[in-house]
Amino acid sequence: MHTFIWGTATAAYQIEGAADEDGRGPSIWDTFSHEPGRVRDGHTGDVACDHYHRWPQDVALLAELGVDAYRFSIAWPRVLPEGTGAVNPKGLDFYERLVDALLEAGIAPVPTLYHWDLPQALEDRGGWLNRDTAGYFADYVAVVAERLSDRVSRWITLNEPFVHMVQGYALGVHAPGRALMLDALPVAHHQLLGHGLAVRALRAAGAPEVWIANNCSPARPASPSSEADRAAAEAYATLHNWLFNDPLFLGTYPDLPSGLSPGSSSGEPSFGVTLGCVRDGDLDVIATPIDGLGVNYYNPTLLAAPCPDDVLPFDIVPLTGYPTTAFGWPVVPDGLRELLVALKERYGAALPPVYVTENGCSQPDVPGQDGVVDDQARIAFLDGHIAALDRARAEGVDVRGYFVWSLLDNFEWAEGYHQRFGLVHVDFATQRRTPKASFHWFRERIST
Ligand code: BGC
Ligand code: BGC
């Protein structure tokens, strides 16, 4: 039996602050958040949770929580301010201190090497639309691995390449704010290629375990008896789930449904065939074996057949009848079981051990007069999802870990500081941290 890993997760731009300290270069999120109208109320990550200075306190909170592991991300622009070339030693020093403090506290560090904060200098060269970015990513990964691979045994390459492509490059609601719709699809391939090259760089540095963190969503047809709705759900699942997992575990891209081909509305058979950017040998690199699939799960997606003038081959419709989070997302714990079982069914023996690398919810957390944040809805959310995970294990899915998103209330991307996901409440005016009721509940839950 493998020991089950309990953890919590954060990301660099969402918590660190210290945006231009100690030689850090600008990232696409610095640029984006400073553009008027991009982030709600003009919030930025300039200060965030000030974790860059307050990390000892945050490590102490993790120790009090009693987690086995902590998933955080390393900011590429702290390590390589220009994205490539000169290394900033102070950037590496920061993560080395953090890793050492975690190990000292008996907590396994699980760094994610890319959580959406591309160095702006690389965006200026085309960002993830530029194939060279994949190679620059692997070079950066090699620099980090050289410093930390003697102490870090589990690494995550990318966070949610699907969400980064869709929000950042297709819709433009996240950095870098490009609204290319289907012409954003090369961003999928270049990120996956970067992942495969990074796996090889990590292996070369002796890293024992490499994972990726993919956002996945079970796609449900609005009307299960409608063939058109079922086709729409499958089209959506292809884009959201299979496009980012098939090449890792099957070594091929899925056939894209009609209507999902870049630059054409007629439909072409396969992503790989359609896309000029896929070269010979790329899929071998992308399919380099990994040791874990990180799954970030928030909610299922409900799909109906598209209207005649729709660009995409599906219509996303509201999933009603469930409680909702402060974000308005439906709370559907069994969707996690459904998703994990679907991954197992699709990939069989090719599926590596699975880790839920993110799961959690935003709630309108306000400290009471006594200072207590009594977030019962978050406790119910976590309890329900952990139970669903247990059901997936009972159905034979090899799930080996669960990380709550997030340790701290933090900069929630386009929502700024308006959505609170933390087990720990942060007062952004004073930086005061207050563990919520869910923190105490999670500590009890994992100690048994
Ligand atoms: C991201 C996190 C984000 C969370 C909640 C995930 O898509 O990886 O950075 O804060 O969802 O929206
Ligand atoms: C509240 C917002 C507030 C933000 C920053 C959120 O939880 O809903 O009204 O502006 O936190 O403190």
Side-chain angles (χ1 to χ4, degrees):
M1 265 310 273
H2 299 271
T3 10
F4 193 84
I5 301 171
W6 294 104
T8 174
T10 61
Y13 191 73
Q14 296 182 270
I15 64 166
E16 285 180 2
D20 54 13
E21 239 173 277
D22 287 346
R24 178 184 179 276
S27 79
I28 54 176
W29 268 98
D30 296 282
T31 308
F32 184 82
S33 66
H34 281 268
E35 285 169 8
R38 295 295 206 176
V39 176
R40 199 170 149 197
D41 288 340
H43 291 172
T44 74
D46 289 1
V47 178
C49 306
D50 194 32
H51 170 79
Y52 189 77
H53 300 113
R54 294 169 196 262
W55 60 269
Q57 187 188 354
D58 296 336
V59 172
L61 283 165
L62 288 162
E64 187 188 337
L65 186 57
V67 285
D68 306 304
Y70 172 51
R71 175 180 176 231
F72 59 97
S73 84
I74 293 180
W76 185 347
R78 261 194 215 290
V79 176
L80 293 165
E82 294 289 318
T84 176
V87 175
N88 172 34
K90 287 185 172 171
L92 284 174
D93 292 347
F94 170 69
Y95 296 108
E96 182 170 67
R97 285 194 296 273
L98 177 63
V99 162
D100 287 345
L102 290 166
L103 291 170
E104 182 82 12
I107 299 162
V110 184
T112 302
L113 289 149
Y114 184 69
H115 201 123
W116 306 348
D117 45 0
L118 189 73
Q120 181 61 41
L122 295 185
E123 179 60 24
D124 296 342
R125 300 191 206 173
W128 287 106
L129 291 161
N130 178 359
R131 180 183 173 94
D132 294 343
T133 300
Y136 296 143
F137 177 60
D139 294 345
Y140 145 70
V141 169
V143 168
V144 177
E146 193 193 5
R147 176 71 80 94
L148 295 177
S149 63
D150 59 338
R151 280 157 282 179
V152 171
S153 52
R154 300 186 186 93
W155 298 83
I156 297 177
T157 55
L158 303 177
N159 180 69
E160 302 188 349
F162 166 76
V163 175
H164 196 38
M165 173 184 82
V166 169
Q167 311 280 51
Y169 289 82
L171 302 176
V173 296
H174 281 183
R178 308 201 51 182
L180 302 171
M181 294 307 290
L182 289 174
D183 292 327
L185 278 168
V187 169
H189 182 62
H190 295 148
Q191 287 184 94
L192 287 164
L193 183 62
H195 156 82
L197 294 169
V199 175
R200 293 182 174 193
L202 287 162
R203 295 276 184 240
E209 273 197 46
V210 186
W211 314 344
I212 187 172
N214 268 333
N215 184 293
C216 298
S217 177
R220 296 180 172 177
S223 162
S225 61
S226 150
E227 199 180 311
D229 285 4
R230 288 202 307 272
E234 192 46 37
Y236 185 81
T238 299
L239 182 66
H240 192 139
N241 304 321
W242 316 141
L243 182 57
F244 293 87
N245 287 305
D246 282 12
L248 303 177
F249 307 124
L250 305 177
T252 55
Y253 276 115
D255 289 347
L256 278 192
S258 169
L260 269 189
S261 303
S264 92
S265 53
S266 57
E268 294 285 337
S270 141
F271 180 75
V273 174
T274 325
L275 219 64
C277 66
V278 182
R279 296 192 192 158
D280 280 354
D282 284 1
L283 280 156
D284 293 336
V285 174
I286 295 171
T288 304
I290 54 175
D291 313 282
L293 171 64
V295 170
N296 294 358
Y297 169 74
Y298 288 92
N299 50 253
T301 309
L302 194 65
L303 290 310
C307 308
D309 52 348
D310 276 352
V311 181
L312 297 170
F314 48 74
D315 237 11
I316 298 178
V317 295
L319 179 55
T320 53
Y322 295 94
T324 52
T325 70
F327 232 133
W329 299 350
V331 178
V332 189
D334 198 57
L336 178 58
R337 181 204 57 82
E338 180 183 340
L339 169 67
L340 295 170
V341 169
L343 288 166
K344 166 88 177 165
E345 278 172 1
R346 190 170 179 94
Y347 301 118
L351 184 69
V354 175
Y355 299 84
V356 175
T357 35
E358 278 183 36
N359 179 237
C361 60
S362 62
Q363 295 295 341
D365 302 317
V366 183
Q369 299 234 310
D370 49 2
V372 172
V373 181
D374 193 20
D375 56 342
Q376 292 300 321
R378 178 171 292 101
I379 292 174
F381 181 102
L382 298 174
D383 193 39
H385 285 78
I386 293 168
L389 184 155
D390 283 340
R391 292 196 295 278
R393 294 178 88 192
E395 289 185 43
V397 189
D398 184 8
V399 192
R400 297 192 189 173
Y402 178 86
F403 293 72
V404 175
W405 184 270
S406 181
L407 173 65
L408 304 168
D409 292 340
N410 60 44
F411 176 78
E412 176 50 37
W413 308 116
E415 287 286 309
Y417 297 97
H418 289 288
Q419 300 291 342
R420 295 179 176 275
F421 279 86
L423 295 174
V424 176
H425 181 272
V426 177
D427 177 333
F428 293 103
T430 62
Q431 292 296 343
R432 187 185 151 87
R433 277 102 161 112
T434 308
K436 303 176 190 177
S438 57
F439 177 100
H440 303 293
W441 176 85
F442 192 59
R443 185 181 54 195
E444 282 300 307
R445 180 70 182 73
I446 68 184
S447 70
T448 52

